[in-house]
Amino acid sequence: SAVARGPAVPFRCEAYGVRAAARGKELRLTLSPLSPSPSPLHLVFRFGMSGSFRLSPAARPPRHAHLVLRTGERPPRALCFVDPRRFGSWRLGAGWQPGRGPCVITEYGAFRENVLKNLDDKAFDKPICEALLNQKFFNGIGNYLRAEILYRLKIPPFEKARTVLEALKDQELERRKKNSSLTLSKKLKLKRENPDLLELCHTVPMEVIEKNLLDLDHLDNYAAFKDWLQCYMVPGMNTLRDHSGRTIWFQVGLRWQQGHRLLPPVPHLNVTTRASARRSRAAEKPSTPAPEEEAEGLRKGRARGRRRKATAAQASPKPEEPVGAKRSRRTTARRGRGEAGSP
């Protein structure tokens, strides 16, 4: 479409197949001609907040369809990349975006290793809720998923990420010692019943996929998705903006699972909210006196000014000159200039 943010797609072919592969928050389409020419074309999509693919009649494509692939049927249908907010995009080429880590769904082992071996990275100096959105380590986790993961484990969202994740190493060693004599089935059962944060980064999005909750345009899917949510957009939950401006949903009073340490009171969290910003600016401004206080101050100021004038007059060493002498000098001055004197 004319308003699309992606590049033009230089592909014309009468018959071709479409294959898709996903990695984290990206999806790659491969357009493969059924004849020797032209060469296959790769497109890598990022969906933003509202991007999706829809299959619809070619004569009636949905609104905000920015890229259309038509079928050879009669009547033809169209596979459309739809993005009302235009936060999504695509680019030509087969390569994934550089800087993104292993996928939390399809590359779980590599994802877990990538996080635990890089805990000295400065990304883990941030609160855990912010680190979970870093696609270098958590490729595939978004805003609603981080809220659901932290809520299920009762982890305070503003706990330091490194503190949370370093505890996983100790937990894993203890688990191996305790479970060394158990059968494989019992080990898997215990793991399902007591997952850690990195495991939930894999299983929670898998629930969404397995329950087919992703197509939110259908009322049944949207209702099922809302029922599935335990924290995100759930009435009664609390919200704050993190340092990147994203809203985090959480529950006040969550206890930290290691040592049952209480979450600090919300006003003391190191997070800038609109209300706290207003309070900070108000605290920095000098206080404005009330009207009666201001009037009282003016009266006192005038009284002090009168007292200063009286004191200065009393302290003056020059004696007050008689009024008649002043008038006589003015009359003499006028006569000297040829003017008539006062009567």
Side-chain angles (χ1 to χ4, degrees), residues 4 27 71 115 121 129 139 155 193 247 253 255 293 307 312 329:
L27 179 120
T71 70
V115 172
D121 192 280
C129 66
N139 187 12
I155 295 177
E193 293 173 351
T247 301
R255 289 179 179 270
E293 294 175 353
R307 285 197 297 272
R329 271 207 311 278

Side-chain angles (χ1 to χ4, degrees), residues 21-36:
R23 185 175 186 266
K25 287 193 170 187
E26 295 182 295
L27 179 120
R28 181 173 62 212
L29 289 188
T30 300
L31 312 181
S32 302
L34 302 185
S35 59

Side-chain angles (χ1 to χ4, degrees), residues 49-100:
M49 293 181 67
S50 59
S52 64
F53 276 97
R54 298 184 202 171
L55 189 62
S56 60
R60 299 190 305 276
R63 291 185 62 193
H64 311 291
H66 299 306
L67 187 68
V68 175
L69 307 176
R70 301 179 186 276
T71 70
E73 302 169 293
R74 290 292 179 265
R77 289 185 294 173
L79 179 64
C80 307
F81 177 65
V82 181
D83 186 14
R85 297 189 181 185
R86 290 192 296 159
F87 290 164
S89 62
W90 66 82
R91 66 181 185 278
L92 303 175
W96 304 110
Q97 185 182 22
R100 287 180 177 261

Side-chain angles (χ1 to χ4, degrees), residues 238-300:
N238 298 85
T239 60
L240 280 175
R241 292 187 184 274
D242 61 21
H243 292 96
S244 60
R246 302 289 299 274
T247 301
I248 174 66
W249 295 72
F250 64 102
Q251 186 179 39
V252 169
L254 292 179
R255 289 179 179 270
W256 171 233
Q257 61 183 2
Q258 289 291 315
H260 302 288
R261 186 153 52 82
L262 285 174
L263 177 70
V266 174
H268 298 293
L269 291 173
N270 187 22
V271 180
T272 301
T273 63
R274 292 178 181 176
S276 63
R278 286 196 296 268
R279 287 195 294 270
S280 300
R281 288 195 294 269
E284 293 173 1
K285 292 181 180 179
S287 58
T288 304
E292 58 272 14
E293 294 175 353
E294 188 173 5
E296 180 65 21
L298 291 173
R299 285 195 294 272
K300 290 180 179 179

Side-chain angles (χ1 to χ4, degrees), residues 132-146:
L132 283 172
L133 297 184
N134 189 329
Q135 301 301 295
K136 180 180 178 181
F137 298 104
F138 296 90
N139 187 12
I141 300 299
N143 203 17
Y144 83 91
L145 287 172
R146 70 169 175 175

Side-chain angles (χ1 to χ4, degrees), residues 90-164:
W90 66 82
R91 66 181 185 278
L92 303 175
W96 304 110
Q97 185 182 22
R100 287 180 177 261
C103 176
V104 296
I105 295 175
T106 61
E107 304 168 297
Y108 172 69
F111 150 70
R112 187 180 184 94
E113 181 183 0
N114 184 46
V115 172
L116 294 180
K117 76 177 184 181
N118 289 295
L119 289 181
D120 57 344
D121 192 280
K122 63 181 181 180
F124 299 107
D125 293 335
K126 296 183 177 182
I128 185 62
C129 66
E130 295 181 18
L132 283 172
L133 297 184
N134 189 329
Q135 301 301 295
K136 180 180 178 181
F137 298 104
F138 296 90
N139 187 12
I141 300 299
N143 203 17
Y144 83 91
L145 287 172
R146 70 169 175 175
E148 295 300 311
I149 291 166
L150 294 175
Y151 175 80
R152 292 191 187 191
L153 292 175
K154 305 296 184 280
I155 295 177
F158 294 94
E159 187 76 24
K160 190 174 181 179
R162 187 174 293 106
T163 303
V164 175

